[in-house]
Amino acid sequence: MSSMTEDHGGDESRLEGAVVAVAGAGGPAGHATLLRLAEAGATVVAADADAARLAEGVDAARFAHGGATVTGDTVDLLDAEATRAWAGRTEAEFGRVDGLVHLVGGWRGSASFAETDLADWNLLHDLLIRTVQHTSLAFEGPLRRTGNGRFVLVSAAGTARPTAGNAAYAAAKAAAEAWTLALADGFRKTGGESGPQAAAVILVVKALVHEAMRAERPQARFPGFTDVRELAEAVCGVWNQPTQEVNGQRLWLTPQP
């Protein structure tokens, strides 16, 4: 396998030549992340269940950064075998996988705790937990083999202080975080005395905002929200931190409650 540069001079150098998979790449955060990774010199392998939204993001990243390798694959991440097949194809085609960025999202809430609909839990369990399980299990081996892999989860500040109407959402996010931290511990243990060969990292936001949201609500200020472009910058930044130091960390992109 070819290797990424070991220059520690900046995000661009660390990602030049890296192969990064992005799960849930069809939304605004996915589009911003594809653009930023392509700009940093990475080969980007994007997946989403929505073929049209995925193609839009892939085409935009290719157009913005001529010569960048950005591919799209329609994958049902609720299908464990399909997810494993995606990971296997990616490693076989490009010879390595240096990152998996998990951007599959979704939200459901209620007016009060008593009005919580457990159908919301069923939906959020699949979107926010099951997809994390499938991607982490599928990509753990490739990320560990590459020697500098990163598994990046985006989580919510609300897991620390759940509100009454967000019980299902906060619980699902908390479970996804726990799963990711268990992956981090696995990386630590398999690394032995030489330290982890990959890192699992959690980026914590209050909520995300993008240009379409601002256009729809021009008077809104979105306090504490993280712009999707800032999120994409933070995603790239996790490769610029030593694996052992960043593994198992929750990195806050909004004020910590």
Side-chain angles (χ1 to χ4, degrees):
M1 295 184 183
S2 61
S3 62
M4 291 167 54
T5 176
E6 294 301 319
D7 181 359
H8 291 233
D11 295 348
E12 313 303 315
S13 60
R14 295 301 300 273
L15 281 166
E16 186 70 41
V19 178
V20 182
V22 181
H31 289 187
T33 300
L34 299 185
L35 282 166
R36 187 65 186 89
L37 287 168
E39 180 185 24
T43 292
V44 190
V45 184
D48 199 276
D50 188 320
R53 295 202 313 166
L54 176 63
E56 181 183 347
V58 168
D59 289 347
R62 286 175 178 165
F63 179 79
H65 306 291
T69 300
V70 185
T71 66
D73 201 349
T74 305
V75 181
D76 179 6
L77 297 175
L78 293 177
D79 184 328
E81 291 306 313
T83 307
R84 286 187 182 275
W86 176 46
R89 287 194 306 273
T90 302
E91 187 177 31
E93 180 175 354
F94 298 104
R96 62 188 301 117
V97 181
D98 298 287
L100 184 288
V101 182
H102 186 279
L103 297 175
V104 181
W107 179 84
R108 291 289 188 279
S110 58
S112 69
F113 181 82
E115 295 173 86
T116 299
D117 185 347
L118 289 181
D120 292 344
W121 166 258
N122 293 336
L123 174 69
L124 294 171
H125 172 271
D126 282 348
L127 290 176
L128 305 182
I129 304 173
R130 188 66 74 189
T131 59
V132 172
Q133 293 172 328
H134 288 170
T135 53
S136 60
L137 290 169
F139 282 90
E140 185 273 343
L143 292 177
R144 183 166 36 80
R145 285 190 287 272
T146 199
N148 192 40
R150 298 287 187 272
F151 182 94
V152 184
L153 176 77
V154 178
S155 191
T159 60
R161 292 183 179 176
T163 57
N166 268 333
Y169 178 76
K173 280 293 192 181
E177 286 197 15
W179 188 274
T180 301
L181 293 176
L183 172 64
D185 189 55
F187 285 146
R188 180 184 63 81
K189 288 178 176 176
T190 57
E193 293 184 1
S194 60
Q197 300 303 298
V201 186
I202 300 167
L203 301 179
V204 185
V205 302
K206 176 182 178 181
L208 296 174
V209 64
H210 51 85
E211 287 306 310
M213 289 173 62
R214 291 193 176 95
E216 290 171 4
R217 299 171 58 192
Q219 304 306 315
R221 301 191 58 158
F222 302 103
F225 284 40
T226 299
D227 190 280
V228 292
R229 292 166 296 188
E230 295 174 19
L231 174 67
E233 194 71 37
V235 167
C236 291
V238 301
W239 274 271
N240 207 41
Q241 301 181 54
T243 302
Q244 187 161 354
E245 292 181 15
V246 78
N247 185 43
Q249 296 301 306
R250 300 172 84 242
L251 306 179
W252 287 77
L253 306 186
T254 191
Q256 188 169 348

